[in-house]
Amino acid sequence: MKPIILDVDTGIDDALAIAYALNSPELEVIGLTTCFGNGPIEYTTRNTLVVLEKLGKTVPVYAGADKPIKRGLKKFPTHVHGEDGLGNKFDKAPAREAESEGAVDYIIRQVKKRPNEITIIAVGPLTNLALAVKKEPEIASLVKEVVIMGGAVFTAGNVTPYSEANVITDPEAADCVFSSGLPVTIVGLDVTMKTLLPKEKLADWSALNTEVADFFADMTRFYMQSYETFHPGIGGCALHDPLAVGITIDPSFVKKEKWNIKVVLEGEEIGRTVAHSEGEPKIQVCTQVEAETFLNHFLSRIF
């Protein structure tokens, strides 16, 4: 089993990624760290605990960054994830609370404790990881791998024509991580927009007639309705965050190219992830995906 820290800003596709990871025997999810992003940190932390409770899983949760490194908070994407971040399906507070230790210190402690063993899957803004590297630069050489859902390297963005949501939410954090020397694999819109979960599959979930399946089906239905607004006729939603989990389990789901990545920090193209070949390329960028193979794998693990 691969020891995993899953760094989330729990909205709907984060919830799907959490379920996928926790139901995959190849992964040992040792902790979940939370960040602002799809909602304020209080919501994303609470939502993470709610999802764990629905799944019947007990994994420690560590609350992290509540704002970007240098910028102010922007409006949260309630039109995509709902007012509560869970498709407006939040019903009661979770029984458990987050740990007292913060996410940044937890990441540093675990990486030092288990050098070259831990994979970090980061599917929200990269603020926690950037703060960890800034606090303890040595961890960049001690992490086994960092798999990031973020960026749009050779395709258009989903917030602006240039930028993807996780990167533009804290572009300085993303730029810090990409230039830190961490062994990064970018799972960006180049591949995630090709991983469509068809809306017909939600009927299969509902037919299971369990509380957890109903919760996920209702939540994902809200997410698909937002997709229909942006992409009329799409008939489903992309599995952004789950794909980052998927390639950690089975790297053959994607093809990669090595590049270096800079993040545009000013002007109209702010948040753009730019591939360049100055120096030795160190970042793995996913460029192609076996979408159907991945989808079937995801569906076989979700519950």
Side-chain angles (χ1 to χ4, degrees):
M1 295 172 75
K2 289 184 180 180
I4 301 292
I5 295 174
L6 186 52
D7 189 70
V8 294
D9 60 330
T10 301
I12 295 166
D13 60 329
D14 304 74
L16 296 172
I18 291 168
Y20 186 23
L22 289 172
N23 289 326
S24 290
E26 300 88 349
L27 306 183
E28 177 198 4
V29 182
I30 62 173
L32 289 154
T33 53
T34 64
C35 185
F36 75 98
N38 289 323
I41 186 64
E42 296 80 11
Y43 282 26
T44 60
T45 303
R46 177 202 69 191
N47 291 351
T48 304
L49 291 161
V50 166
V51 169
L52 288 171
E53 204 167 271
K54 296 285 188 187
L55 292 166
K57 305 285 188 179
T58 305
V59 178
V61 175
Y62 301 83
D66 62 357
K67 61 182 185 299
I69 288 176
K70 291 187 176 179
R71 299 169 190 265
L73 282 171
K74 293 186 176 178
K75 186 181 175 187
F76 297 113
T78 55
H79 58 300
V80 178
H81 295 275
E83 294 294 331
D84 60 4
L86 293 175
N88 299 329
K89 300 305 170 189
F90 172 71
D91 52 3
K92 63 177 181 177
R96 288 175 54 225
E97 295 183 353
E99 307 298 310
S100 57
E101 185 178 20
V104 171
D105 289 338
Y106 172 73
I107 290 168
I108 292 168
R109 179 169 63 85
Q110 287 297 329
V111 169
K112 284 184 167 183
K113 181 177 158 187
R114 301 173 73 169
N116 306 116
E117 289 184 29
I118 290 176
T119 296
I120 299 172
I121 307 176
V123 297
L126 294 173
T127 316
N128 288 336
L129 200 47
L131 289 171
V133 170
K134 284 176 177 288
K135 188 171 183 178
E136 292 280 356
E138 67 183 282
I139 69 166
S141 64
L142 300 178
V143 178
K144 182 178 180 181
E145 186 180 16
V146 178
V147 181
I148 288 166
M149 191 282 119
V153 181
F154 302 112
T155 191
N158 60 355
V159 174
T160 75
Y162 310 102
S163 63
E164 178 274 332
N166 287 335
V167 171
I168 201 171
T169 297
D170 193 348
E172 281 79 12
D175 197 52
C176 170
V177 169
F178 296 153
S179 61
S180 67
L182 282 162
V184 169
T185 296
I186 292 179
V187 185
L189 301 183
D190 306 82
V191 284
T192 65
M193 282 303 295
K194 298 171 184 171
T195 61
L196 190 73
L197 174 64
K199 62 183 179 183
E200 295 79 24
K201 297 297 180 184
L202 301 188
D204 297 340
W205 295 0
S206 296
L208 295 172
N209 204 27
T210 65
E211 183 187 354
V212 66
D214 286 343
F215 173 75
F216 274 86
D218 291 346
M219 180 176 60
T220 307
R221 201 167 280 116
F222 181 98
Y223 192 50
M224 288 183 177
Q225 286 166 357
S226 75
Y227 261 79
E228 204 63 37
T229 304
F230 306 126
H231 308 283
I234 193 169
C237 65
L239 292 167
H240 299 291
D241 296 353
L243 183 59
V245 172
I247 75 149
T248 306
I249 299 166
D250 187 347
S252 73
F253 290 148
V254 292
K255 290 186 179 176
K256 307 171 190 171
E257 296 177 5
K258 266 196 172 181
W259 292 89
N260 287 321
I261 301 292
K262 289 179 180 175
V263 180
V264 177
L265 301 177
E266 304 283 347
E268 181 188 354
E269 296 187 7
I270 186 167
R272 184 172 186 173
T273 42
V274 181
H276 66 94
S277 53
E278 300 160 28
E280 182 190 349
K282 294 181 178 176
I283 293 181
Q284 299 272 7
V285 178
C286 297
T287 56
Q288 296 178 52
V289 59
E290 296 289 342
E292 189 172 350
T293 306
F294 158 69
L295 174 63
N296 290 334
H297 190 267
F298 166 79
L299 289 169
S300 73
R301 298 282 177 88
I302 188 67
F303 304 122

